[in-house]
Amino acid sequence: MGTTKKMKSALISVFHKDGLEAIVRKLNDLDITIYSTGGTEKFITDMGINVIPVEDLTSYPSILGGRVKTLHPKVFGGILSRRDHEGDIAQLGEYEIPEIDIVIVDLYPFEKTVASDAGEQEIIEKIDIGGISLIRAAAKNFKDVICVSSMKQYDNFLNILSENNGEISLKDRKNFAAKAFAISSHYDTAIFKYMNQDFGDIEFRESFDHANTLRYGENPHQKGYFFGNLDDLFEKLHGKELSYNNLLDVDAAVQLMNEFDPKTSGPTFAILKHNNACGIAQRETLHQAYVDALAGDPVSAFGGVLISNMKIDVPTAEEIHKLFCEVVIAPAYEEEALKILKGKKNRIILIQNEIEFPKTSFRTALNGVLSQEKDTITDDKSMLKQATNLQATDKEVEDLLFASKICKHTKSNTIVLAKNKQLCASGTGQTSRIDALKQAIEKANHFDFDLKGAVMASDAFFPFPDSVEIADLAGITSIIQPGGSIKDQLSIDYCNEHDMSMVFTGTRHFKH
């Protein structure tokens, strides 16, 4: 692509100086003139390398507490001038403006400042003006200028500079320009989201600064990427790289287990496959919770994602090691337990860190994006409205709320059957609620669960009493559902006539 250009001058003004020294020394070795400002100028001077202060170029000092340093025609003229344009070249000569071929600039750490809970004025001062302007100007004029806009690009830039003795191709200049606009757009998105907190203007602006190339997408013929910093959420201890499908299952597992605080729920273990729980149980010990979660569907558990809400101990690890599973997630591991789990070289072992998750979700749809608030409502005892003459017992209420949490994180239409804080079976992703129920009953029977005294959770209301009747005939004694059907009374009447209890939550939990 196009012409290689010999670089003769550079403007350097950076907040982060790690890794900068090698570049400065290389520029000096290549006899490239260096211009700089403020702290960067001092950094270069302290290295014993000649540098021209920008103030000497502009004949204007840094003013307004450093808010205005580089915003001057003698800086931007040298960056934006078209080297093949006679008029531009003439004006450079007329106003004594030197050409600037390299711009090395980064941005104030706006996002880190916001994350640090700093005050508004400190945050506002981290909105970069000069830096972002220099980046955009240099990137726009990539035909003549190269823009290095992040310390992450230092190594690549230094290699190009060294290998080509200070000459840089048009292809490389355009590539760095593309990266520069990615950085500037991400930066502006972060500022918008901060400023918009007080106003809630409906605009879709999302940007993620970390790109991870996956082995492939949902299928081997599809390319796949994850955008985001997984290191914030997980510490990977062992195993192969997470795949696209692994990440979907891991997300489902994490969201489900977030419903079970170990301080209030006790030891809880879940096994997921294709984004749905195939087993989950709460017990006095984590070992027993795992054993009973596996009993929910030992067939589907093969190749699944396993997650615990407590430190995994040796007895639990020994049981897990008998199963082929893709991923194990826990807040911590006993040292010996970790050694056991590492016995399978490809098994992915993750420590989950506590972070704050986004409050909204989005997905592509048609020729746009669907965005919504996340479903953050968890059904609890205070929300329950007794709809039937027979009230649910305390034990049934515990099971109903346990089943409701699972139901919330299962693909619609769904029915969840539970007993003694153990998932007996679920019907997932069915086109009718009655089909979901039949699937759940058939699966529970297949794995020898006694449904007498079990409870049923539904993600949405029952339009007819047929599901309630089928549940009753299977041995289910109590039901939790949102309510809200114009025919709710028919289901209530059936329960009253057959000594079943039913509670309404008033909250639907569709998941598509």
Side-chain angles (χ1 to χ4, degrees):
M1 179 191 280
T3 313
T4 297
K5 185 176 186 297
K6 182 74 172 178
M7 301 288 110
K8 298 178 181 178
S9 60
L11 170 64
I12 309 175
S13 181
V14 296
F15 187 89
H16 303 98
K17 298 170 182 65
D18 296 343
L20 182 63
E21 182 175 347
I23 291 175
V24 172
R25 294 199 183 281
K26 175 53 66 174
L27 293 173
N28 187 61
D29 290 345
L30 294 169
D31 291 325
I32 293 174
T33 302
I34 301 174
Y35 300 91
S36 191
T37 65
T40 310
E41 177 198 334
K42 182 179 184 304
F43 176 84
I44 296 170
T45 300
D46 289 347
M47 290 172 57
I49 290 176
N50 289 331
V51 56
I52 301 172
V54 166
E55 290 87 345
D56 290 358
L57 174 62
T58 64
S59 300
Y60 222 94
S62 172
I63 62 172
L64 306 182
R67 282 189 165 197
V68 180
K69 288 181 287 191
T70 57
L71 297 168
H72 194 282
K74 283 204 171 183
V75 175
F76 281 86
I79 295 170
L80 286 165
S81 64
R82 293 160 289 187
R83 308 324 195 237
D84 59 355
H85 191 282
E86 290 184 8
D88 286 6
I89 299 302
Q91 286 191 319
L92 291 186
E94 180 182 356
Y95 297 108
E96 299 180 341
I97 299 173
E99 294 178 354
I100 296 175
D101 304 318
I102 301 170
V103 173
I104 303 175
V105 179
D106 63 6
L107 300 170
Y108 293 155
F110 178 82
E111 288 177 284
K112 285 185 179 179
T113 307
V114 172
S116 72
D117 293 326
E120 182 177 74
Q121 190 54 45
E122 185 179 350
I123 291 172
I124 295 303
E125 290 305 319
K126 289 298 186 291
I127 298 177
D128 208 312
I129 303 300
I132 201 79
S133 302
L134 290 167
I135 286 172
R136 290 179 65 84
K140 174 179 179 175
N141 201 26
F142 66 87
K143 286 188 177 181
D144 297 299
V145 179
I146 186 164
C147 180
V148 182
S149 51
S150 166
M151 60 187 297
K152 295 176 185 177
Q153 300 166 13
Y154 285 179
D155 288 345
N156 187 23
F157 174 68
L158 182 59
N159 288 337
I160 292 170
L161 204 62
S162 302
E163 290 173 4
N164 301 293
N165 201 33
E167 294 187 354
I168 299 178
S169 69
L170 179 59
K171 180 180 179 181
D172 285 331
R173 300 197 300 272
K174 190 170 185 178
N175 180 234
F176 273 75
K179 296 178 190 296
F181 284 118
I183 285 171
S184 67
S185 64
H186 176 80
Y187 196 75
D188 284 341
T189 295
I191 295 169
F192 163 75
K193 292 178 77 172
Y194 170 76
M195 300 291 281
N196 195 43
Q197 290 178 116
D198 297 333
F199 305 102
D201 288 348
I202 301 173
E203 302 280 352
F204 183 77
R205 298 288 185 276
E206 293 293 340
S207 179
F208 297 92
D209 205 22
H210 295 81
N212 303 269
T213 301
L214 306 175
R215 295 196 302 274
Y216 50 80
E218 203 161 4
N219 299 293
H221 63 276
Q222 296 169 268
K223 291 181 180 180
Y225 307 91
F226 175 79
F227 296 93
N229 191 356
L230 282 174
D231 292 340
D232 287 346
L233 179 56
F234 296 118
E235 179 184 351
K236 184 183 171 191
L237 303 179
H238 183 72
K240 61 185 180 180
E241 294 302 313
L242 287 160
S243 70
Y244 184 97
N245 292 329
N246 286 155
L247 287 166
L248 289 175
D249 284 336
V250 166
D251 177 64
V254 168
Q255 301 307 324
L256 171 62
M257 194 53 73
N258 279 349
E259 302 282 354
F260 297 94
D261 185 336
K263 295 175 184 176
T264 55
S265 300
T268 307
F269 208 104
I271 304 171
L272 287 88
K273 194 73 172 287
H274 293 295
N275 308 164
N276 296 305
C278 57
I280 180 170
Q282 269 180 252
R283 292 295 181 259
E284 291 298 317
T285 67
L286 189 65
H287 170 262
Q288 194 59 50
Y290 169 74
V291 170
D292 289 349
L294 180 63
D297 186 345
V299 175
S300 296
F302 183 87
V305 169
L306 281 56
I307 187 166
S308 165
N309 70 343
M310 300 184 72
K311 178 188 283 189
I312 291 183
D313 54 22
V314 170
T316 308
E318 288 175 338
E319 289 295 331
I320 292 172
H321 194 56
K322 299 173 185 177
L323 174 73
F324 169 73
C325 58
E326 291 273 350
V327 185
V328 182
I329 309 166
Y333 300 82
E334 290 183 358
E335 185 176 347
E336 191 59 35
L338 188 57
K339 289 180 182 177
I340 294 168
L341 293 174
K342 285 182 176 180
K344 300 284 178 68
K345 69 175 184 177
N346 287 330
R347 179 183 287 149
I348 301 166
I349 304 173
L350 304 173
I351 288 178
Q352 182 183 339
N353 303 318
E354 289 189 16
I355 69 167
E356 184 176 346
F357 287 96
K359 294 180 174 59
T360 58
S361 64
F362 57 88
R363 64 201 291 185
T364 59
L366 301 175
N367 60 341
V369 172
L370 282 171
S371 178
Q372 66 173 350
E373 296 177 341
K374 286 190 174 180
D375 183 358
T376 56
I377 294 177
T378 297
D379 298 335
D380 62 37
K381 196 171 182 179
S382 67
M383 298 166 60
L384 303 184
K385 176 185 176 184
Q386 296 287 345
T388 52
N389 295 334
L390 182 65
Q391 295 204 352
T393 65
D394 290 344
K395 179 179 177 300
E396 284 175 331
V397 168
E398 287 185 353
D399 277 346
L400 288 169
L401 294 175
F402 175 80
S404 174
K405 291 176 180 178
I406 303 167
C407 197
K408 173 183 169 182
H409 294 276
T410 305
K411 293 289 185 181
S412 300
N413 287 309
T414 184
I415 292 290
V416 169
L417 307 180
K419 185 177 180 181
N420 299 326
K421 295 182 181 178
Q422 178 185 19
L423 174 63
C424 300
S426 60
T428 63
Q430 298 302 300
T431 52
S432 76
R433 197 152 306 282
I434 198 165
D435 283 347
L437 174 57
K438 289 177 179 178
Q439 182 191 52
I441 292 171
E442 180 182 353
K443 189 172 182 180
N445 290 334
H446 177 76
F447 289 112
D448 296 323
F449 280 98
D450 179 7
L451 292 179
K452 187 175 181 180
V455 304
M456 174 172 75
S458 174
D459 59 342
F461 62 64
F462 297 110
F464 303 102
D466 47 3
S467 292
V468 176
E469 180 179 0
I470 292 170
D472 174 38
L473 296 174
I476 289 153
T477 56
S478 191
I479 298 168
I480 185 170
Q481 60 137 320
S485 168
I486 60 173
K487 296 185 178 180
D488 274 345
Q489 193 59 46
L490 295 177
S491 295
I492 293 170
D493 289 344
Y494 183 93
C495 288
N496 287 336
E497 292 166 6
H498 295 83
D499 296 323
M500 299 176 74
S501 61
M502 182 162 61
V503 296
F504 290 167
T505 65
T507 304
R508 190 180 74 183
H509 292 294
F510 270 167
K511 185 185 179 189
H512 293 102

